[in-house]
Amino acid sequence: MRLWVLGSGSAGNAVLIEAGGSRILVDAGFGVRTLAARLAAGGVAPESVEACVITHEHTDHVRGAAAAARRWGWALHATRGTVAHAPELAGTHVHVFDAGAALAFSTMDVATVRTPHDAAEPIGVVVTARPSGARATVCT
């Protein structure tokens, strides 16, 4: 498992996780140009990202998610509360789940955990790589 923090702060948040040839992004709080540049710096093509899991509706976590999903074919995943309070996601197909749900991707399982934050239904994630059993947690 490999993990890259593409950015963390009020200007934007995004964490890329790779395991067994599959990639997911946790949050997409940068515009598509910035996301593309930061992924390229790590040698990652944006089209190779399978999905983006959004932790909550604040702009610095969701700003580029809808545009990136449209441009690069990412699947978006967010809680019901996040979708309801994120105008950036309006008109975008999002796989909705409740905080505490388990998500499965090509080579990774993601356990979602409700977190305390000033947001509608914020989560943290525990990502487990099926090939190796390695784990990473992202809580913002």
Side-chain angles (χ1 to χ4, degrees), residues 10-61:
S10 59
N13 293 273
V15 176
L16 180 70
I17 302 173
E18 178 183 73
S22 178
R23 296 179 173 120
I24 64 170
L25 197 66
V26 177
D27 291 331
F30 299 100
V32 292
R33 286 183 185 161
T34 301
L35 282 169
R38 291 180 184 209
L39 288 165
V44 174
E47 302 84 10
S48 70
V49 174
E50 177 179 351
C52 177
V53 178
I54 301 166
T55 62
H56 63 286
E57 72 271 12
H58 293 165
T59 302
D60 59 323
H61 293 263

